[in-house]
Amino acid sequence: MCGIVGYVGYRQACPVIIKGLHRLEYRGYDSAGVALIGRDGQIELYKCKGKVEDLEHFLEGKDTESTIGIGHTRWATHGAPNDANAHPHFSQSGRIALIHNGIIENFRVLKDALKSHGYTFRSSTDSEVLVNLIEYIQDTNECTLEEAVRMALRQVVGAYAIAIVKRGDPDRIIAARQSSPMAIGIGEGEYFLSSDAASIIDYTQKFVYLNDGEVAVIEKGKPLQIKTLEGEASQVNIQKLEMSISQLEKGGFPHFMLKEIHEQPDTLVDCIRGRVSPDSREIILSGVLDNKERFLKAGRIIFVACGTSWHASLIGEHLIENLCRIPVEVEYASEFRYRNPIIRPDDVVIAVSQSGETADTLAAVEIARREGAFVYGICNVIGSSIARATDSGTYIHVGPEIGVASTKAFTGQVTVMAMLALVVGKLRGTLAEEEYHQMADALLRLPDTIRKVLECAPAVEKLSGIFTYAHNFIYLGRGYNYPTALEGALKLKEISYIHAEGLPAAEMKHGPIALIDAEMPTVVIATLDHTYEKTVSNIEEIKARGGKIIAVISEGDTQLRKRADFCIEVPSTAECLMPVVSIIPLQLLAYYIAVNKGRNVDQPRNLAKSVTVE
Ligand code: F6R
């Protein structure tokens, strides 16, 4: 999705902004631009379709001397990806320049009203409507720009994070947010602005995260001022973000995705650290223990999530039903929010989101809270909107995930869900002491287990060469590994653009088996668990119809070694942690097939890392 970077201070703004925009590239975008205020007080605006690199070429030889600026990467919503629709947008008079993330839902009505007052538009965007609305309000009310921004935003329906600069005002940026992230970095005599604090971590670790309905006046050499849309002063709450720059770099790997796959043993150490005691094997999740009563009395748990986080939630369903005996429902956040769902006061709603900014999941959280449920967050990005909107929660602590296809977040989410199910199961007395300790042991060993699984990478790379030109894939799994099959299929679709479908293995015979022929590879997760024999039968059914089987099997399984066409062996762990293990070869398979096809693995077409529009 779109990204925003801004700077005001004593440095050259342009390089700061360009570097920040590069850091935001992972979010997915199709054009980029920057507005700078030159020495003469005029706003210079440079923007073009394409990558940040294209913008850099475009800037070559231009006068970019300026200590204030705002920059943007656009992910098209209203209007094609082209130069005209790229941000920043000038107001009609050229007095104000604005960048915007999000969608102004009532832009048509506002645009018609502005047209009737003589405004014309250079782009098809909703954002240009907003900048003109601000100008119109300022002109008709003869008020300050800040007042005009607040008045305009009170008329707007939708989501936004905006940053604005004004001609002749080289010390000030105005920023605001509603349902779209915006962090203000605080330096010594300088301020930074970004949709993702990580993008400006080189300069500061001190951040203020704007809340919905807040407008900030960011002025060089002056204290930060934040007010609500009604003009009441808000508290300026500065938070520290601990993060190293190396976490944002590829560390010798050709792609972020491959780096993130390979760092999973370490990210799981971070996820488990301080939560599972190596001595007592006690599991401490303070977010749960501080709210014991809510989990003890829970009549039902509802997961709300999208995409990969939704797949992890399906595993959470198995974990909680098995270990805690609480009924669980797993909802697509996008469906939940528009379905008039029944939410009871004794429900616990768990929102799962890597970015913590997914618009649909955030909306589901708001509905659940409004209806009186206790809302728990499982997020990765510290200080993200969902993390802040929930009553309590647990961070997965896997570090920044830059590759658009989620990998280490999935394994972190499942690991947190396993810890949560164990803590709640113990509290509710639905789990035998012995099982609890065995699972705690398996959790402590999990990073080493994953290290071992990763040894399959060269074999998977070789295997990928055989299937690079397949047009369709089926992924099958049962029990805990059915969601793994869905996730494996999603990975392949996202980055290789090959059609892939994940299914519960036994569903094949109810229809999809009609698709099987020698051209249709089937990836089956068939590790040794309580559904193993049934899965073997499903494999036989496919083989009998000429299908090719790639099986993920447990180490030493000689039966399937003989039956499957290709096998990837993985080590064993507790059955309920098996998805964390079996997803690794599927992540690798998708990665290598996409690389073989020459795809842009880290930024696949049409996709955005953080989906902040509905
Ligand atoms: C898949 C992927 C997406 C996200 C989904 C939810 O690789 O990245 O399907 O999982 O957009 O995002 P979060 O978890 O940030 O809410």
Side-chain angles (χ1 to χ4, degrees), residues 108-178:
R108 256 178 246 287
V109 183
L110 297 170
K111 191 170 184 174
D112 288 345
L114 287 166
K115 275 183 180 164
S116 70
H117 293 297
Y119 275 81
T120 53
F121 294 85
R122 305 171 182 99
S123 76
S124 328
T125 65
D126 49 342
S127 314
E128 194 188 2
V129 174
L130 181 56
V131 71
N132 279 324
L133 179 66
I134 293 168
E135 177 168 284
Y136 172 72
I137 288 177
Q138 191 183 17
D139 288 347
T140 46
N141 292 277
E142 294 179 12
C143 59
T144 63
L145 180 60
E146 183 203 343
E147 280 165 342
V149 169
R150 283 196 270 109
M151 284 163 85
L153 293 179
R154 289 205 295 266
Q155 294 189 28
V156 157
V157 178
Y160 53 77
I162 56 168
I164 298 171
V165 288
K166 192 178 130 210
R167 188 166 63 204
D169 196 351
D171 292 336
R172 209 148 57 123
I173 300 175
I174 294 179
R177 85 155 254 169
Q178 176 68 45

Side-chain angles (χ1 to χ4, degrees), residues 95-286:
R95 189 172 81 222
I96 309 168
L98 165 143
I99 51 181
H100 165 225
N101 293 356
I103 291 180
I104 308 297
E105 286 174 12
N106 59 339
F107 86 101
R108 256 178 246 287
V109 183
L110 297 170
K111 191 170 184 174
D112 288 345
L114 287 166
K115 275 183 180 164
S116 70
H117 293 297
Y119 275 81
T120 53
F121 294 85
R122 305 171 182 99
S123 76
S124 328
T125 65
D126 49 342
S127 314
E128 194 188 2
V129 174
L130 181 56
V131 71
N132 279 324
L133 179 66
I134 293 168
E135 177 168 284
Y136 172 72
I137 288 177
Q138 191 183 17
D139 288 347
T140 46
N141 292 277
E142 294 179 12
C143 59
T144 63
L145 180 60
E146 183 203 343
E147 280 165 342
V149 169
R150 283 196 270 109
M151 284 163 85
L153 293 179
R154 289 205 295 266
Q155 294 189 28
V156 157
V157 178
Y160 53 77
I162 56 168
I164 298 171
V165 288
K166 192 178 130 210
R167 188 166 63 204
D169 196 351
D171 292 336
R172 209 148 57 123
I173 300 175
I174 294 179
R177 85 155 254 169
Q178 176 68 45
S179 309
S180 238
M182 179 71 93
I184 301 166
I186 320 257
E188 293 295 327
E190 58 183 350
Y191 287 108
F192 304 83
L193 197 63
S194 181
S195 323
D196 177 352
S199 74
I200 43 180
I201 198 78
D202 308 60
Y203 308 104
T204 181
Q205 289 193 309
K206 288 197 278 179
F207 289 95
V208 172
Y209 297 95
L210 280 191
N211 291 312
D212 280 348
E214 285 183 340
V215 179
V217 177
I218 304 160
E219 194 163 353
K220 177 174 143 189
K222 295 216 174 140
L224 181 64
Q225 241 192 64
I226 303 179
K227 288 186 184 163
T228 63
L229 290 188
E230 283 67 41
E232 279 172 32
S234 298
Q235 209 165 342
V236 176
N237 183 8
I238 301 177
Q239 299 184 34
K240 194 159 181 224
L241 180 66
E242 308 274 2
M243 187 181 282
S244 71
I245 293 167
S246 65
Q247 287 180 298
L248 303 171
E249 286 164 357
K250 288 187 199 147
F253 287 92
H255 296 101
F256 279 109
M257 184 179 174
L258 191 62
K259 175 194 173 221
E260 287 161 6
I261 292 173
H262 279 277
E263 72 190 9
Q264 289 175 103
D266 299 325
T267 57
L268 291 178
V269 169
D270 293 340
C271 177
I272 293 165
R273 182 182 294 127
R275 290 167 171 168
V276 186
S277 157
D279 305 320
S280 65
R281 290 172 294 159
E282 202 61 27
I283 302 172
I284 312 278
L285 274 193
S286 51

Side-chain angles (χ1 to χ4, degrees), residues 305-311 352-359 361 378 380-381 386 401 403-407 409 413 487 490-491 494-495 607-611:
C306 306
T308 289
S309 300
W310 186 81
H311 295 155
V352 186
S353 174
Q354 186 286 126
S355 63
E357 300 296 346
T358 300
T361 311
I378 298 181
N380 187 34
V381 177
I386 294 171
E401 191 178 64
V404 164
S406 193
T407 50
Q413 288 165 344
E487 177 60 8
L490 180 64
K491 291 290 87 89
E494 283 181 296
I495 58 169
L607 294 187
K609 182 69 186 159
S610 169
V611 185

